[in-house]
Amino acid sequence: MDETPFVKFDSPKEHYIANACVVWCFDDRFYKLLKAFGKQEGFGHIDLVKVAGGAKALAGDASPDRDFVLNQIKTSVRLHGTKRVVLMRQRDCGAYGGSKSFADADAEKNELMKQLHQAQEFVRNEVPGLAVDGFFADFDGLYSAV
Ligand SMILES: [Zn+2]
């Protein structure tokens, strides 16, 4: 076969150990924040689960979405030896109607921090032995839910 690629690009063939499995909202306004976070943490490889609402489904009741995201985490652990999970929720997320769904900025942050804690607890129970961090993404940076 002598076919010209649509895009010519050399991807690495080596397998890797993931520094983290990251569950992040697909809202592109926060993609550069993810890159900055990864740089600060020194991530070489992450398994990125980029879905609307980020860790939203993990904080809720049993659902196909919750199963899906949890299975992505388990798959990251199985395939890439992942020992750390990063769960993200964000300011003004379309997955729950944006900031206008809350009384004020503090109420929004407090509710999402609470849900992050619920999601962290759920993942810790489902996949023992993982470090599970929660982060709230705001327009001025990333805040730890610890
Ligand atoms: Zn979002």
Side-chain angles (χ1 to χ4, degrees), residues 25 27 53 90 93-95:
C25 185
D27 188 326
Q90 65 159 100
C93 187

Side-chain angles (χ1 to χ4, degrees), residues 56-145:
K56 179 175 184 281
L58 295 170
D61 295 331
S63 69
D65 283 355
R66 191 178 76 168
D67 291 346
F68 172 78
V69 177
L70 180 64
N71 277 322
Q72 293 294 296
I73 293 169
K74 288 178 176 174
T75 303
S76 173
V77 170
R78 184 163 48 83
L79 294 182
H80 300 139
T82 308
K83 291 185 167 49
R84 182 181 180 194
V85 173
V86 171
L87 305 177
M88 173 272 213
R89 300 299 306 277
Q90 65 159 100
R91 174 85 67 197
D92 196 31
C93 187
Y96 56 75
S99 294
K100 65 182 184 303
S101 305
F102 297 90
D104 57 38
D106 284 345
E108 179 178 16
K109 186 173 183 177
N110 290 339
E111 172 60 23
L112 294 180
M113 285 291 194
K114 194 181 89 183
Q115 291 184 20
L116 276 166
H117 291 140
Q118 291 169 350
Q120 285 174 274
E121 191 181 330
F122 174 71
V123 173
R124 284 184 188 124
N125 287 335
E126 292 291 323
V127 195
L130 286 179
V132 184
D133 299 324
F135 289 97
F136 175 71
D138 209 337
F139 291 102
D140 66 350
L142 191 64
Y143 294 85
S144 174

